[in-house]
Amino acid sequence: MTLLTVHQDNHPTPATTEASAGTDPDTAAGTATHTSTATDPGTRTSTSAKTPVDPTHMPRLTTTVPREYVHRSTLAEVFLTGCEQTGNTHYTLTAQWPRAHTFFTTPDGTHHHPLQAAETIRQTGIYLAHAELGIPLGHHFLMRNLHLTTHPQHLTIGPTPTDLTLTATYTPHHPHTKRPTDFTMHITITRNGHPTATGTGRFTCLTPTTYQRLRHPHTTTPDTTTAGTTTSTSTARTQHQPPNPPPTHYGRTLPHDIVLTPTPHPHTWQLTPNPHHPILFDHTTDHIPGMVLLEAAHQAATAHTHPTPTTHPTHPTTLHATFHHYTEHHTPTYITTHTTTNDQAPTTHITAHQNNTTVFTAQLTTHTPTHTDTDTDTDTTQKSVSSR
């Protein structure tokens, strides 16, 4: 049986919100009503009373969904803002991407990073499982695979945060069970009516007891005594290791965002993420999170395909990833790459292995945005802003 990587949920049950029954503060018992009436005969009677507000006429305000429902510790990293069921297995959600995210932004600052779409799909699958499909908080999720296609011309960053609409459909793999604990989620992300990304991901839910039995004895957390260095990193480095190139070599701008370290072997890197990274390690896990492996795939593909940094960043446009086994913290993980070329663009094949066992594979195709791509989406964004 092959298992997958993702995130475990270590958060408490969120406080009851608008789902609570009948607790409108304007109509609850004890609400004071003041009435004043003139005492002189023939004078006009004036009545001043607090009229209850009909919730259906209140403005619909924007907020994020509970962070516990997407397995995030930080509210700033919650991208989903709302959800409505539109069919037996169909949902429409809203989301927002910030203009200047500290991690999910391209090096030139002009585009949302395509992996932000992958994170949004991850959040959508987990949120729907908890909020709509009845999976209790405290359960663990395995993402067995992820298939993603993005459209860079609609990923440009505009003058305001990017508001998105998502349509999601889930397909249970065991439809006759009480809860859909194994399902595939099909998600389309649109922006101003234009497709921004489409993706599918297969999720498996495990009870805490099953997860602990499955993971024993791998229940330790990463060694964070040395900033930026995991145990597996410190035990595998040698004096013959080549120096690490600048972050732009991997398609990033900041050193602490780099998750790879070169080895003496060509097209081979060691996975060395910073365990203190505020985005990649948003909360404690007993294994390497799936988003870290996706970032490693992106960085390795960038370094392999474009070894010399250019002024034009490359954007992943298609990604097919499979998580075969849990990736452990304390075992050295090595990333290898090779490329194949078709009529459109080169595809980089990425493999991660621990102890000669494949734990993760991915195929990634990149695209260099043109001025036409940028201009098209900028015009769309400006029109949307002006019509508000």
Side-chain angles (χ1 to χ4, degrees), residues 330-371:
H330 303 289
T331 304
T333 305
Y334 294 97
I335 308 291
T336 60
T337 60
H338 72 276
T339 59
T340 57
T341 304
N342 55 29
D343 296 335
Q344 297 179 351
T347 296
T348 305
H349 302 261
I350 302 99
T351 301
H353 54 274
Q354 288 186 327
N355 293 329
N356 298 318
T357 299
T358 299
V359 294
F360 168 77
T361 55
Q363 298 81 47
L364 193 151
T365 302
T366 59
H367 165 75
T368 301
T370 64
H371 291 294

Side-chain angles (χ1 to χ4, degrees), residues 21-327:
T23 55
D24 186 344
D26 288 334
T27 58
T31 301
T33 301
H34 173 70
T35 304
S36 60
T37 305
T39 56
D40 293 337
T43 61
R44 182 177 181 181
T45 301
S46 65
T47 301
S48 175
K50 186 175 183 181
T51 304
V53 178
D54 184 354
T56 61
H57 292 87
M58 295 179 67
R60 188 172 183 177
L61 305 179
T62 300
T63 185
T64 65
V65 302
R67 58 187 173 89
E68 293 86 354
Y69 283 1
V70 296
H71 294 194
R72 277 299 193 180
S73 296
T74 308
L75 286 173
E77 299 308 317
V78 179
F79 300 139
L80 302 182
T81 58
C83 176
E84 179 182 358
Q85 185 171 4
T86 54
N88 289 337
T89 60
H90 303 274
Y91 299 87
T92 298
L93 302 95
T94 53
Q96 186 181 87
W97 291 344
R99 295 175 59 194
H101 194 275
T102 58
F103 184 71
F104 290 120
T105 304
T106 57
D108 61 359
T110 62
H111 288 69
H112 298 289
H113 198 284
L115 287 186
Q116 191 161 17
E119 168 62 16
T120 304
I121 289 173
R122 185 199 72 85
Q123 291 189 14
T124 301
I126 296 176
Y127 172 78
L128 290 177
H130 283 314
E132 301 291 341
L133 306 183
I135 302 300
L137 290 173
H139 279 49
H140 299 257
F141 286 74
L142 311 176
M143 180 178 282
R144 296 182 179 273
N145 55 54
L146 174 69
H147 306 284
L148 175 69
T149 300
T150 62
H151 304 277
Q153 69 271 28
H154 299 306
L155 290 174
T156 55
I157 297 175
T160 61
T162 301
D163 291 318
L164 304 166
T165 300
L166 288 72
T167 57
T169 303
Y170 82 90
T171 303
H173 292 278
H174 306 286
H176 301 297
T177 58
K178 183 178 180 180
R179 291 193 183 105
T181 57
D182 187 11
F183 59 89
T184 294
M185 196 69 66
H186 307 265
I187 297 169
T188 299
I189 303 175
T190 60
R191 173 187 185 181
N192 301 325
H194 298 281
T196 300
T198 56
T200 63
R202 182 174 178 179
F203 297 80
T204 298
C205 310
L206 301 175
T207 65
T209 301
T210 301
Y211 183 82
Q212 291 300 323
R213 183 173 65 250
L214 179 67
R215 291 295 292 143
H216 182 78
H218 303 289
T219 55
T220 57
T221 56
D223 179 5
T224 59
T225 55
T226 302
T229 304
T230 63
T231 300
S232 62
T233 303
S234 60
T235 58
R237 288 182 174 176
T238 69
Q239 60 181 351
H240 303 294
Q241 184 173 311
N244 217 352
T248 51
H249 182 79
Y250 300 104
R252 289 294 184 180
T253 56
L254 300 178
H256 78 273
D257 289 338
I258 304 306
V259 301
L260 301 177
T261 298
T263 71
H265 306 287
H267 307 306
T268 302
W269 297 265
Q270 186 179 352
L271 183 66
T272 56
N274 180 355
H276 300 290
H277 196 284
I279 311 301
L280 294 176
F281 291 91
D282 171 77
H283 59 274
T284 302
T285 63
D286 64 1
H287 57 272
I288 299 294
M291 285 303 298
V292 174
L293 295 172
L294 294 180
E295 177 62 23
H298 162 249
Q299 292 187 17
T302 302
H304 184 122
T305 310
H306 301 277
T308 302
T310 66
T311 56
H312 302 288
T314 58
H315 297 176
T317 53
T318 60
L319 170 67
H320 303 285
T322 302
F323 304 88
H324 301 280
H325 295 279
Y326 288 101
T327 305

